[in-house]
Amino acid sequence: MSTTPAQDAGGPVRDTASICCYCGTGCGVRIRSQGQQVLGVSGDAQHPSSHGQLCSKGRELAATVRHDHSRILRAQWRPDKNTARHDIPLADACDIAAGKLAETIIMHGPDAVGFYLSGQLLTEDYAVFNKLARALVGTNNIDTNSRLCMSSAVSGYKLTLGADAPPACYDDLDHAGAVMIAGANMAYAHPVLFRRLAQAKARRPGMKVIVVDPRRSDTCDIADLHLAIAPGSDVALFHAMLNVMVWEDLIDRDYIARHTQDFAALKRRIHEFTPQAAQEVCGVPAADIIQCARWFGQADAALSLYTMGLNQSSSGTAKNAALIHLHLATGHIGKPGAGPFSLTGQPNAMGGREAGGMATLLPGHRSPDNAAHRAEVARLWQVDALPDTPGHTAIDMFDAVLKGDIKVLWIAATNPAQSLPDQARVRAALQKAELVIVQEAFAHTETLAYADLVLPAATWPEKDGTVTNSERRISRVRAAIAPPGDAQPDWKMACTVARKLAQHIAPGKADLFDYQDEAAIFAEHARNTAGRDLDYSALDYAALDAHGPQQWPYLQPTQAPRRLYGDGLFPTDNGRARFIDVGYAPVAENISAHYPLRLTTGRMRDQWHTMSRSGLAPALSRHVEEPFVYLHPGDMQRYRIADDALVKIKTRRGHVVLPAKSDDSLKPGHAFLHMHWGSAYMAGHGVNALANSARDPISHQPELKHSAAGIEVLQYAWHASAWAQGDPTQWRQKLSPWLKRFPYAVLVPSALGGQSVRLRLASPEAATPQTLAMLAADLGLEAANLAYDDPARGILRRVLHRDGGLAAYLLAGDTRAADALLQWADTGDTPAHVSQLLMGRQPAVARARIVCTCASVSDTDLQAAIQAGQDLEALKASLKCGMTCGSCLPQIKRMIAQHAPSTEPHA
């Protein structure tokens, strides 16, 4: 049974089996709930993809389930862009949506409407929106934020193997002889899979692990070889590897002859990509390229794992194809431990592709530019025809708004005012659109500022449906509690609007959206897969409930791992896989005298996407507390930047002001930013204001992973630091106007003192006395216990404490005491002389920083234990660190290594 009631003193406690809502690993979870409260979340040992494991984000899911001011509980509307939105009944909101859509379609045609969806929707949501856009509105303008993460992987699979179908499965991690991780920081982005791989390597030390990444990430903790290639040079690397394999006869000529085509053209292409030539392009030694090729080619089974470093590129499709070539040339596909395996970024990006929820797809892996495919889907949906005009993909959709071609945008479960590149253009489009409908669950996303109509959406764990993970495994998502307020599942609101819209433009189509429940939607969707490569037309909710998660193609219930193409037959016209003659193209934007740095972005260990959900869990803010730009130590010296000094990072599209941090995991000339920080947390338009929107010509995926950047050291005379205990969501709502008042401003949730918020500000000139007074008032510090003010000089130092515990502080113009006060907030240990501390007459305090989120173990705890002689196993036993999700282990190992005495002889 999926839900098991138990008796508790407070009433029935339910245990519901569901799926984590973060990455595409698709970990099973058990949700303990009572009434409408989630009591806790744990791993589901019965789920075949994760076997009970969860990462730090999954373990903290219960802390993100809130039914308060962090949620959108009512529909909201503003009749014009110069007025504030106000709450309205949901029925009225659906009437407005339908009426405005109908008006736009009648006046400007169906292509004046665009739908921008999310890989975090359930498959049932996708199916309804897709049908709404194509069968009712009559447009192919439907795309998703999966365009930002997985579209190059889709294009690569389709060009080479014939279908968007990852051939490998998680079980292959336990059988591979060589594993190449390319453009993926698995340790942070897919931590459960990374720990499984690390455990497999510990059991079989002969396994070779190669990491291809410009940065030495935590994934390199288990690497036998790290190729720190120049950003964007992956095609040159993979071609050079294939060159070596051909030269040393490490290819499977029989497999190539029997199961592939067009190898000759590619073989001519790679002739010029010698290891020595690739060394010049990639910036890694030729000997390392040769070693990598040999390990891959000589392995009994070679597995490649890859994600955004390959996909988020103006040549992403070529990168994916060049990597897949290595498998086809060696026959490392369709058998245990082998295959090209794209790791999905979002929980249901795969399900969305199956449902055809993108401009370039139709349900069942069909194509909208294929007349026969359009006719098949029209017949299945019982409509006369589907539109044949090509639809706009994600970034093109916003460009079309700027051109005036699209008048109405319907955005569901995604946050484009943070996540899309070149934010200035995106926000200009959102401002220009005649109507922006935002269907959202969380009340603090950046896109809401541009919404004319807001529809309150249900979210995890309030929804029922299905998702498909990276290994093609379909799992049931089950609701543990009811949605709060007027919130409804996304499919249900879409159906309501669709029925009302049909009454305006096509009354005979209203009944197309009369679904009894999610099971009925899934049944219709599953029928769309019949006869296709992913066929799971025989699958239904009853089978999933009875037999658990199932992989496609689905023939009969089984939880045994299923691999594709073991018979050497591929879903192409002639059954053969294809080699594609792709050349190497450099990054879209090269460095220059004005933009000398190669800027890349990536994930934080404990946060997710734009942090609309994960930012609600205080514990997840401990590992990285605020945004920084990271630079190589040599570049810090070159530009004369001290740690924590403010710099302006700029590209041709925008700039941000942030403190700099030295990071020796980077190569000289490189800069790194965490992708999560948007204008909800910092001054300006956020990190993606810098990002490049240059797109791959086939996948239309933007080059989010590389921009040419310049740097300017700032000498701001005035700084302020503040902290206040209490609900971060309420504090952020109150304090967010301060993000617009200073060139440097950061407002972040904090776990110090339980729940709290931190604010940092800086500017070239001192704040005025009036500004200081307003800031103190907003922080509730008018009646502080301690106050040392000199407002004429921009100095104000105030502390509010209760019963020995710190409640709030503000240090403006003199921030020397900030770390000591934050340490007080964190530990509750009152400093001996607070007044002396505020006056700068106490020595600086080194504040403890969390390393292990699960067990709340700090760097000072670890350093003390390491200095006492504890090794890794002893640290696990004494401090319980690294025992749960394991994400902290690479950092702990580095700390142990740094403490180890030198083995070099004394002079």
Side-chain angles (χ1 to χ4, degrees):
M1 295 292 291
S2 62
T3 303
T4 305
Q7 289 301 314
D8 183 79
V13 175
R14 299 178 300 277
D15 178 55
T16 304
S18 192
I19 302 297
C20 178
C21 55
Y22 288 124
C23 78
T25 301
C27 296
V29 296
R30 308 294 302 196
I31 308 167
R32 291 183 66 249
S33 60
Q34 186 175 33
Q36 298 308 307
Q37 181 182 5
V38 171
L39 304 177
V41 175
S42 59
D44 184 353
Q46 303 304 311
H47 197 283
S49 292
S50 51
H51 303 295
Q53 298 301 303
L54 289 179
C55 72
S56 58
K57 296 182 289 293
R59 285 176 51 82
E60 290 293 325
L61 272 171
T64 71
V65 181
R66 296 170 53 169
H67 295 167
D68 56 12
H69 38 267
S70 68
R71 290 291 302 275
I72 297 172
L73 303 177
R74 302 286 181 267
Q76 300 168 14
W77 166 244
R78 63 179 182 187
D80 64 76
K81 295 184 184 294
N82 296 318
T83 59
R85 292 193 308 267
H86 60 275
D87 290 352
I88 60 173
L90 180 58
D92 291 355
C94 292
D95 284 336
I96 291 170
K100 294 290 185 180
L101 286 166
E103 180 181 312
T104 301
I105 294 165
I106 292 168
M107 291 183 62
H108 304 287
D111 288 330
V113 177
F115 296 83
Y116 187 55
L117 311 179
S118 168
Q120 293 163 67
L121 291 173
L122 305 186
T123 300
E124 293 75 7
D125 301 323
Y126 264 118
V128 169
F129 267 114
N130 198 21
K131 192 175 181 182
L132 165 58
R134 288 181 159 115
L136 179 58
V137 173
T139 183
N140 285 315
N141 290 339
I142 177 169
D143 214 58
T144 87
N145 58 16
S146 297
R147 184 70 56 187
L148 308 183
C149 63
M150 297 307 298
S151 53
S152 291
V154 172
S155 298
Y157 278 139
K158 290 173 68 174
L159 282 176
T160 56
L161 307 183
D164 172 21
C169 57
Y170 297 162
D171 192 60
D172 290 319
L173 299 171
D174 300 316
H175 299 285
V179 178
M180 182 165 68
I181 306 169
N185 184 8
M186 281 182 72
Y188 283 13
H190 297 88
V192 168
L193 296 182
F194 180 70
R195 294 316 312 160
R196 182 167 176 174
L197 178 62
Q199 290 161 3
K201 182 170 174 58
R203 290 192 300 270
R204 296 183 293 112
M207 173 197 286
K208 299 299 182 185
V209 176
I210 306 121
V211 173
V212 181
D213 195 314
R215 191 168 60 106
R216 192 182 68 251
S217 70
D218 274 14
T219 300
C220 292
D221 176 58
I222 62 171
D224 298 286
L225 179 63
H226 173 212
L227 299 180
I229 64 169
S233 63
D234 307 79
V235 169
L237 171 67
F238 300 147
H239 279 359
M241 289 175 62
L242 188 54
N243 178 298
V244 173
M245 292 176 190
V246 171
W247 183 258
E248 298 190 1
D249 199 26
L250 298 177
I251 60 175
D252 188 335
R253 298 182 186 277
D254 180 62
Y255 190 92
I256 292 171
R258 289 193 297 117
H259 301 301
T260 73
Q261 64 187 41
D262 301 331
F263 183 61
L266 180 62
K267 188 176 178 182
R268 289 191 296 271
R269 167 80 65 176
I270 64 170
H271 181 74
E272 63 186 277
F273 286 89
T274 64
Q276 290 73 26
Q279 173 179 281
E280 298 304 313
V281 175
C282 301
V284 295
D288 287 350
I289 298 174
I290 294 169
Q291 182 65 80
C292 181
R294 287 173 177 168
W295 281 346
F296 193 104
Q298 293 171 352
D300 292 335
L303 181 69
S304 57
L305 306 165
Y306 51 98
T307 182
M308 302 315 155
L310 265 61
N311 297 343
Q312 289 180 338
S313 167
S314 57
S315 56
T317 300
K319 292 179 180 182
N320 275 265
L323 178 58
I324 293 170
H325 292 158
L326 303 179
H327 291 273
L328 294 176
T330 56
H332 286 317
I333 188 171
K335 61 183 182 180
F341 197 177
S342 64
L343 300 178
T344 309
Q346 297 185 90
N348 200 34
M350 183 81 77
R353 284 137 59 186
E354 295 158 19
M358 299 180 78
T360 49
L361 298 173
L362 285 177
H365 288 177
R366 295 176 177 88
S367 175
D369 59 10
N370 183 309
H373 288 180
R374 292 197 304 273
E376 288 174 10
V377 177
R379 185 169 58 255
L380 289 163
W381 280 344
Q382 299 181 329
V383 296
D384 293 336
L386 297 187
D388 57 5
T389 303
H392 289 292
T393 57
I395 297 175
D396 292 339
M397 193 179 297
F398 288 82
D399 288 344
V401 175
L402 285 174
K403 294 174 185 175
D405 296 335
I406 291 180
K407 311 291 184 181
V408 176
L409 277 175
W410 188 340
I411 299 166
T414 188
N415 189 17
Q418 193 278 352
S419 58
L420 285 173
D422 196 355
Q423 276 292 305
R425 282 185 65 81
V426 172
R427 290 167 181 243
L430 288 167
Q431 187 64 40
K432 181 175 180 178
E434 293 181 8
L435 177 69
V436 177
I437 304 170
V438 176
Q439 192 161 314
E440 179 60 78
F442 298 102
H444 48 272
T445 67
E446 288 89 339
T447 305
L448 285 170
Y450 302 90
D452 302 300
L453 179 66
V454 177
L455 301 178
T459 185
W460 188 98
E462 304 153 3
K463 296 174 65 175
D464 280 294
T466 57
V467 294
T468 308
N469 72 357
S470 293
E471 62 170 350
R472 298 171 281 105
R473 193 176 295 278
I474 301 167
S475 297
R476 284 277 281 115
V477 174
R478 297 181 178 90
I481 57 176
D486 291 340
Q488 287 189 0
D490 294 275
W491 71 265
K492 185 170 288 189
M493 281 190 291
C495 282
T496 300
V497 174
R499 289 191 297 270
K500 292 174 181 289
L501 174 61
Q503 297 302 325
H504 291 287
I505 64 172
K509 293 183 178 181
D511 60 357
L512 295 179
F513 301 92
D514 281 336
Y515 297 105
Q516 182 176 354
D517 53 22
E518 295 88 351
I521 302 171
F522 183 84
E524 179 180 274
H525 161 67
R527 288 194 294 273
N528 273 323
T529 70
R532 306 294 298 168
D533 67 287
L534 73 165
D535 192 337
Y536 55 88
S537 55
L539 188 63
D540 56 20
Y541 276 22
L544 290 169
D545 290 341
H547 304 292
Q550 300 293 311
Q551 283 177 289
W552 59 253
Y554 173 82
L555 301 175
Q556 59 185 2
T558 177
Q559 290 200 358
R562 293 175 57 85
R563 298 173 182 87
L564 302 182
Y565 317 134
D567 56 3
L569 294 175
F570 295 87
T572 58
D573 291 343
N574 60 4
R576 290 173 174 266
R578 297 180 289 249
F579 288 97
I580 310 299
D581 181 15
V582 294
Y584 161 70
V587 290
E589 188 173 71
N590 209 352
I591 57 174
S592 65
H594 291 292
Y595 301 98
L597 295 172
R598 298 188 180 278
L599 174 64
T600 59
T601 62
R603 294 183 184 273
M604 289 189 283
R605 190 188 76 189
D606 297 340
Q607 294 289 357
W608 175 254
H609 283 197
T610 67
M611 301 193 293
S612 55
R613 180 190 301 276
S614 62
L616 298 174
L620 298 181
S621 68
R622 296 297 303 258
H623 187 242
V624 176
E625 294 182 328
E626 59 185 289
F628 295 94
V629 58
Y630 299 88
L631 300 165
H632 184 272
D635 290 323
M636 297 283 281
Q637 294 180 353
R638 173 186 173 192
Y639 295 109
R640 298 180 181 178
I641 304 171
D643 241 21
D644 210 35
L646 290 179
V647 298
K648 178 188 288 186
I649 294 291
K650 55 189 177 182
T651 69
R652 291 174 175 88
R653 291 156 297 281
H655 73 271
V656 295
V657 174
L658 289 173
K661 285 286 186 187
S662 178
D663 185 353
D664 63 5
S665 73
L666 297 168
K667 296 171 71 173
H670 289 221
F672 178 80
L673 286 167
H674 288 123
M675 55 169 268
H676 312 274
W677 301 109
S679 60
Y681 299 96
M682 60 188 290
H685 290 342
V687 165
N688 281 323
L690 311 180
N692 196 341
S693 62
R695 296 176 297 279
D696 180 281
I698 298 173
S699 70
H700 306 284
Q701 185 159 354
E703 191 156 275
L704 282 159
K705 274 289 176 282
H706 180 268
S707 297
I711 190 167
E712 177 185 343
V713 183
L714 302 174
Q715 303 295 337
Y716 284 176
W718 183 86
H719 293 254
S721 170
W723 172 90
Q725 191 174 48
D727 181 357
T729 303
Q730 288 183 298
W731 275 118
R732 286 176 56 202
Q733 185 175 10
K734 185 175 184 180
L735 298 174
S736 60
W738 291 96
L739 295 177
K740 296 178 173 62
R741 296 178 183 173
F742 292 88
Y744 168 66
V746 169
L747 177 63
V748 292
S750 173
L752 302 179
Q755 290 192 83
S756 55
V757 69
R758 291 183 61 204
L759 176 68
R760 288 182 67 181
L761 307 169
S763 67
E765 300 86 23
T768 65
Q770 294 82 0
T771 299
L772 290 175
M774 291 171 56
L775 181 57
D778 280 355
L779 287 162
L781 287 168
E782 303 101 317
N785 303 96
L786 295 170
Y788 295 87
D789 297 350
D790 190 350
R793 296 171 54 206
I795 295 175
L796 186 150
R797 290 162 292 190
R798 295 190 182 183
V799 169
L800 176 65
H801 58 85
R802 302 186 187 96
D803 302 322
L806 186 63
Y809 79 77
L810 169 62
L811 301 175
D814 180 357
T815 62
R816 289 173 292 175
D819 272 354
L821 292 175
L822 290 172
Q823 185 77 346
W824 179 11
D826 194 18
T827 65
D829 298 331
T830 308
H833 303 286
V834 179
S835 59
Q836 296 294 307
L837 189 67
L838 294 181
M839 298 299 292
R841 296 171 183 168
Q842 291 282 315
V845 173
R847 186 162 63 89
R849 306 299 173 104
I850 290 296
V851 175
C852 176
T853 300
C854 299
S856 194
V857 179
S858 70
D859 54 358
T860 54
D861 298 329
L862 286 162
Q863 287 162 359
I866 292 168
Q867 290 170 2
Q870 292 190 20
D871 61 9
L872 181 59
E873 294 306 314
L875 292 171
K876 289 181 179 180
S878 63
L879 300 177
K880 307 304 178 186
C881 55
M883 298 289 288
T884 307
C885 78
S887 296
C888 61
L889 288 174
Q891 186 174 349
I892 295 172
K893 290 177 182 178
R894 287 197 301 273
M895 294 178 68
I896 294 171
Q898 290 164 1
H899 180 75
S902 172
T903 56
E904 297 180 7
H906 295 288

